[in-house]
């Protein structure tokens, strides 16, 4: 099958009737009609439609090796540097449609799956058909252009080093049985962004800490409507307001869900890992997961930073504060961040090499640097917006106010150096939604944590980075002296 259309994606997830809970009620009826999900589902549908545009075919798709039909570029296993560049441009094309505000749009998991498929041999070491299962699943998702969510971490009960869960009271999801039909999973996982609005969910061991208990060493993928699988939503940050009032929240609120497995049977053909601690603990380091997923993530973060730079410069122009040096310095900070991210991305492609799996793999060091740098830098963008926008960020009446008897006064008293009150508030509402609203605060939290705890990410860079040349040079210097 070729790439999917937005309508097909919506029809598919509407039919699933998955077990989703929001504000104390089970979601009933087509999910694409639900106020909490409508906006993001339609934004995601637009992404799918975009890859069907004739003029975008070459960028957004490639020829399926199994059918010859056009399938999505985010599934492409890169074999050349040109393939890597094509992947980047495709990811950025989608990100431009959302301002980079949809962290978990489909290319995220398509890339994860591509990376695991490319190194599927890793899964064969446990025997059985696990490697074949990974390959078949990748092909199935690619050929049907499926949309996936995922959950890789355990509930935040007690993160102290020696915590071990009480065996009789399961909280973190674990394998409780293996039958002739598959493995049985019981317990909860955090956190699946877009849980409930995708076709399927992929579950992998937590990369955060080594597992010493085989019952947590599992990986699989199942449809979202599998019996016993439940998604518990947080409060929605799409408050059903017009696009004028909540320009981002009304379109890109992805929702985060707690995932509960209530005696869920995962059929053997969907099991990728069951009980092999060595594979579970080395999976992320040994596969192409880190380089390929960070390459995708950083490609998107570049577009997101451009979007923020655009907002910030428009604020500066609108209230005409560009002559002040501290304003220039603040905008320059964002430019430096943007150029740093672009350079790290370019360096990763320039120094890309074929890895042991035969995949053209971007250089991990610049990407790990970027993925460490951005969580610390992104919160500053919100701060800069607040420091420049000042009271303008709370002088933001709604569209209803502009349609009320006070509209003339609002247009007059809220005018800026570039336009009337209506246009000025439209921009300031965007700036507020990206930096101060519930949607905007979540974006900041997302950038801080979505790829893992920044403290431990720094540890990954520390251990991964070859420091021997630098150390040798200093040793030689000391000796010569
Ligand atoms: C908005 C958002 C969306 C997300 N979406 C997804 C998703 O779709 N799928 C998914 O799988 N995950 C998702 N995540 C989860 C993300 O992967 C985790 O937030 C991240 O791995 C950190 O884990 P944690 O939240 O459990 O924090 P914790 O590990 O509980 O950390 C809490 C604090 O304790 C410190 N700490 C804990 N343990 C240690 C340690 N061993 N050493 C040093 N310090 C420690 C941390 O530094 C931190 O300050 C999302 C997170 C957010 C915020």
């Amino acid at each position: 099958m070729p790439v999917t259309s937005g309508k097909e994606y919506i029809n598919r997830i509407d039919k699933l009737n998955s077990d989703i809970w929001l504000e104390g009620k089970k979601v009933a009826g087509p999910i694409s009609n639900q106020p909490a999900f409508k906006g993001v589902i339609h934004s995601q549908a637009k992404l799918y439609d975009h890859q069907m545009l004739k003029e975008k075919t070459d960028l957004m798709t490639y020829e399926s090796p199994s059918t010859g039909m056009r399938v999505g570029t985010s599934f492409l296993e890169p074999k050349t540097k040109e393939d890597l560049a094509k992947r980047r441009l495709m990811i950025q094309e989608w990100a431009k449609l959302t301002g980079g505000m949809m962290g978990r749009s489909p290319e995220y998991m398509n890339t994860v799956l591509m990376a695991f498929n490319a190194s599927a041999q890793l899964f064969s070491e446990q025997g059985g058909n696990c490697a074949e299962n990974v390959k078949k699943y990748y092909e199935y998702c690619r050929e049907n252009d499926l949309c996936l969510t995922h959950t890789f971490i355990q509930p935040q009960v007690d993160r102290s080093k020696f915590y071990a869960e009480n065996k009789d009271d399961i909280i973190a999801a674990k394998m409780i049985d293996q039958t002739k039909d598959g493995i049985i999973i019981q317990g909860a996982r955090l956190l699946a962004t877009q849980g409930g609005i995708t076709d399927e969910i992929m579950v992998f061991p937590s990369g955060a800490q080594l597992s010493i208990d085989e019952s947590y060493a599992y990986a699989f993928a199942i449809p979202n409507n599998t019996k016993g699988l439940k998604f518990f939503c947080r409060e929605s940050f799409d408050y059903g307001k017009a696009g004028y009032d909540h320009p981002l929240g009304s379109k890109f609120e992805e929702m985060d869900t707690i995932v509960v497995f209530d005696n869920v049977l995962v059929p053997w053909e969907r099991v990728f890992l069951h009980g092999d601690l060595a594979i579970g603990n080395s999976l992320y380091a040994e596969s192409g997961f880190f380089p390929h997923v960070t390459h995708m993530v950083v490609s998107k973060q570049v577009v997101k930073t451009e979007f923020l730079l655009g907002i910030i410069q428009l604020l500066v122009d609108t209230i005409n504060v560009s002559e002040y040096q501290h304003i220039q310095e603040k905008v320059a900070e964002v430019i430096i961040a943007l150029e740093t991210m672009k350079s790290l991305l370019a360096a990763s492609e320039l120094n890309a090499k074929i890895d042991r799996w035969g995949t053209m793999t971007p250089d991990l060091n610049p990407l790990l640097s970027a993925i460490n740098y951005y969580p610390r830098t992104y919160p500053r963008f919100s701060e800069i917006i607040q420091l420049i926008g000042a009271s303008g960020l709370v002088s933001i009446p709604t569209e209803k106010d502009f349609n009320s008897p006070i509209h003339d006064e609002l247009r007059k008293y809220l005018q800026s150096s570039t336009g009337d009150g209506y246009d000025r508030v439209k921009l300031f509402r965007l700036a507020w939604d990206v930096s101060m609203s519930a949607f905007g605060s979540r974006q900041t939290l997302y950038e801080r944590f979505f790829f893992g705890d920044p403290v431990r990410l720094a540890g990954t860079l520390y251990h991964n980075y070859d420091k021997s040349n630098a150390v040798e040079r200093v040793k030689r210097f000391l000796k010569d002296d």
Side-chain angles (χ1 to χ4, degrees):
M1 269 199 11
V3 281
T4 203
S5 70
K7 200 167 164 205
E8 284 162 341
Y9 153 69
I10 291 178
N11 286 343
R12 276 200 323 251
I13 57 161
D14 274 349
K15 271 197 210 133
L16 279 178
N17 209 6
S18 308
D19 198 346
I20 304 165
W21 288 78
L22 175 71
E23 301 210 6
K25 288 196 191 103
K26 190 169 164 171
V27 172
I31 190 157
S32 67
N33 287 342
Q34 301 288 331
F37 305 100
K38 202 158 72 176
V40 68
I41 288 176
H42 284 89
S43 298
Q44 194 131 283
K46 279 189 194 153
L47 299 183
Y48 281 118
D49 284 339
H50 195 75
Q51 52 177 9
M52 302 194 84
L53 297 176
K54 259 207 173 84
E55 65 276 21
K56 299 289 177 190
T57 302
D58 284 346
L59 174 63
M60 304 304 288
T61 66
Y62 70 107
E63 214 170 81
S64 158
S66 12
T67 64
M69 297 220 206
R70 304 300 296 190
V71 291
T73 299
S74 53
F75 287 104
L76 175 68
E77 182 188 335
K79 295 290 183 188
T80 62
K81 289 192 178 180
E82 288 70 35
D83 287 346
L84 269 184
K86 178 171 172 165
R87 285 186 52 85
R88 164 178 38 85
L89 291 170
M90 177 266 149
I91 287 156
Q92 295 190 328
E93 180 80 13
W94 261 0
K96 283 176 192 164
L97 300 178
T98 66
M101 295 292 151
M102 279 177 63
R104 296 294 157 97
S105 41
E107 78 284 359
Y108 195 98
M109 287 310 293
N110 297 353
T111 303
V112 172
L113 197 48
M114 178 280 286
F116 283 139
N117 175 67
S119 40
Q121 213 187 311
L122 275 177
F123 297 88
S124 66
E125 284 156 25
Q126 59 193 309
N129 295 327
C130 288
E132 270 311 297
N133 292 349
V134 173
K135 283 175 174 287
K136 278 192 194 144
Y137 187 64
Y138 161 73
E139 190 174 353
Y140 171 67
C141 291
R142 182 188 69 200
E143 296 304 318
N144 292 285
D145 211 0
L146 292 193
C147 184
L148 307 181
T149 181
H150 72 290
T151 169
F152 288 4
I153 64 160
Q154 297 185 342
Q156 197 183 38
V157 176
D158 180 335
R159 294 288 197 237
S160 60
K161 276 192 183 147
F162 298 108
Y163 167 72
E165 195 172 294
N166 176 352
K167 283 199 160 57
D168 302 326
D169 186 18
I170 297 172
I171 299 172
K174 65 195 281 191
M175 273 187 298
I176 54 165
D177 202 2
Q178 301 194 8
T179 71
K180 67 176 186 13
D181 298 319
I183 58 174
I184 312 286
I185 306 288
Q186 176 71 37
R189 275 290 189 108
L190 306 182
L191 182 74
T193 299
Q194 288 214 7
I197 64 163
T198 61
D199 298 287
E200 304 223 348
I201 182 166
M202 204 157 121
V203 185
F204 267 70
S206 163
Q209 62 200 108
L210 290 183
S211 180
I212 47 164
D213 181 337
E214 285 155 9
S215 52
Y216 295 107
Y218 55 80
F220 59 85
I222 45 174
N224 275 358
N225 63 352
T226 300
K227 189 166 173 266
L229 176 62
K230 302 176 207 174
F231 298 93
F232 297 163
C233 302
R234 60 159 164 74
E235 174 191 0
S236 172
F237 301 151
D238 178 352
Y239 295 108
K241 293 281 187 97
Y244 181 90
D245 294 343
H246 289 193
L248 299 174
S250 61
K251 296 184 189 75
F252 309 128
E253 147 61 341
E254 288 183 289
M255 181 56 78
D256 305 295
T257 58
I258 296 155
V259 185
V260 172
F261 300 86
D262 187 1
N263 258 304
V264 168
L265 168 71
V266 180
W268 282 115
E269 63 272 19
R270 288 303 193 85
V271 175
F272 310 139
L273 172 69
H274 57 98
D276 192 311
L277 284 171
I279 299 177
N281 286 330
S282 61
L283 199 55
Y284 295 101
E286 295 291 317
S287 69
F289 176 88
F290 272 113
H292 290 296
V293 178
T294 51
H295 179 258
M296 173 268 300
V297 161
V298 176
S299 300
K300 189 156 34 182
Q301 286 169 331
V302 163
V303 174
K304 190 168 188 174
T305 313
E306 285 169 344
F307 188 64
L308 282 150
L309 176 62
I311 294 175
I312 292 169
Q313 185 58 45
L314 273 173
L315 289 182
V316 169
D317 295 340
T318 302
I319 54 170
N320 201 9
V321 288
S322 68
E323 71 195 85
Y324 303 116
Q325 268 187 339
H326 80 94
I327 298 284
Q328 295 163 13
E329 189 192 24
K330 289 183 172 73
V331 180
E333 248 188 82
V334 184
I335 296 170
I336 292 165
L338 174 59
E339 289 302 316
T340 303
M341 294 296 282
K342 275 162 68 176
S343 309
L344 291 168
L345 185 57
S348 79
E349 287 182 27
L350 190 71
N351 297 323
K353 288 196 182 72
I354 294 285
D355 70 1
R356 68 175 163 127
W357 312 109
T359 312
M360 179 56 76
T361 302
D363 186 5
L364 186 55
N365 282 330
L367 294 170
L368 276 184
S369 303
I371 210 76
N372 269 279
Y373 167 75
Y374 206 66
R376 291 162 173 82
T377 305
Y378 188 88
R380 175 70 178 149
F381 301 155
S382 295
E383 191 178 26
I384 288 174
I385 289 176
Q386 292 180 19
L387 292 172
I388 296 178
S391 66
L393 293 166
V394 284
S395 312
I396 47 172
T398 63
E399 189 158 42
K400 272 191 187 153
D401 294 305
F402 281 101
N403 291 329
S404 77
I406 57 172
H407 67 98
D408 278 344
E409 286 157 287
L410 289 178
R411 279 179 189 269
K412 178 179 168 188
Y413 295 124
L414 290 176
Q415 70 181 279
S416 69
S417 72
T418 57
D420 78 0
Y422 183 81
D423 290 336
R424 173 209 158 96
V425 171
K426 191 171 191 182
L427 169 67
F428 273 78
R429 277 207 157 267
L430 176 60
W432 162 83
D433 211 8
V434 83
S435 63
M436 290 176 61
S437 66
F439 176 89
S441 309
R442 180 206 171 266
Q443 286 290 323
T444 304
L445 192 74
Y446 181 85
E447 292 300 345
R448 283 187 200 273
F449 281 108
F450 80 92
F451 202 70
D453 172 19
V455 175
R456 278 165 282 170
L457 276 178
T460 308
L461 177 60
Y462 174 80
H463 290 298
N464 205 61
Y465 200 84
D466 181 3
K467 302 169 274 297
S468 56
N469 273 347
V471 169
E472 277 312 310
R473 202 175 307 160
V474 175
K475 278 186 178 168
R476 269 201 309 276
F477 174 84
L478 290 172
K479 210 169 162 193
D480 291 349
D481 216 23

